[in-house]
Amino acid sequence: MSKEQHNNPEERLHREGGNEEMFDDVQQAQEEAESQIDEANDMINHELADIDALNKQLLDAQAQVEKEKKEYLFLMAEFDNFRKRTVREKSELIKNASEGVLKGLLPIVDDFERGLEASAKADDPADIRTGMELIYQKLVKFLAANGVKAIESTGKPFDAELHEAIAMVPVPDEAQKGMVIDTPTKGYTLNDKVLRHAKVAVGQ
């Protein structure tokens, strides 16, 4: 008997008297094993497909992150350029504004010089005072045009936001208590912001 005949279950069953029921069980077990193998292969193929899909999602996500990273770096560079440009423009604006104010003061300085020359020849003090008042009014008008205004103080209620009390003055009238009695040094605002507090005497 050949080795092939010996290993063949069907031949062996027939040779040994033929137990067909046992043969059917073996065949069924073989079919079930093949079915399980097919199911396992299907499962593996399904898992591999899922892995491929996840890998694709990962690659897409990495590409998106890289794109957003480049956009972020671009925006940061743009913002830095904008910040530098803004600082430069602000510096130039302040510089030009200062130049404009100083240039506007020059005609007033000219008036003072002419007034000084005229006062040396004037005999009437009233004429000198008139010239000084004209120059003063011109200066006040120039300051107002640039947002500088005097703070109203004397006769007004004391306001710590606007006034600096340098003296307390006894007053006979109860209504004058807490009021500004005198303003030794005027205060000024620049565009409604306190530039210098008024130094005042307050009634008590």
Side-chain angles (χ1 to χ4, degrees), residues 139-150:
L139 179 58
V140 169
K141 185 177 179 180
F142 172 78
L143 291 174
N146 286 274
V148 179
K149 295 181 181 179

Side-chain angles (χ1 to χ4, degrees), residues 64-177:
Q64 183 66 24
V65 168
E66 189 64 25
K67 178 184 176 184
E68 293 179 355
K69 180 181 178 181
K70 289 180 180 179
E71 291 177 351
Y72 170 77
L73 292 175
F74 175 77
L75 288 174
M76 286 297 295
E78 283 292 303
F79 175 75
D80 188 56
N81 290 335
F82 170 77
R83 182 185 61 80
K84 291 178 180 178
R85 184 169 60 252
T86 301
V87 170
R88 183 173 62 254
E89 290 175 353
K90 184 177 180 181
S91 176
E92 291 176 355
L93 181 63
I94 293 172
K95 179 181 177 181
N96 293 334
S98 300
E99 289 178 357
V101 171
L102 294 174
K103 186 176 180 180
L105 285 172
L106 296 180
I108 300 174
V109 173
D110 294 337
D111 289 343
F112 268 117
E113 290 177 348
R114 283 190 288 267
L116 289 171
E117 290 178 4
S119 66
K121 302 173 184 177
D123 296 327
D124 188 354
D127 292 338
I128 298 175
R129 179 178 177 83
T130 299
M132 293 291 291
E133 287 178 350
L134 289 173
I135 296 172
Y136 171 74
Q137 292 299 330
K138 188 173 182 178
L139 179 58
V140 169
K141 185 177 179 180
F142 172 78
L143 291 174
N146 286 274
V148 179
K149 295 181 181 179
I151 296 173
E152 294 185 9
S153 300
T154 302
K156 299 291 183 179
F158 176 77
D159 185 349
E161 296 293 327
L162 303 174
H163 307 134
E164 178 185 346
I166 59 173
M168 301 299 291
V169 181
V171 290
D173 189 352
E174 189 72 20
Q176 289 185 304
K177 290 185 177 181

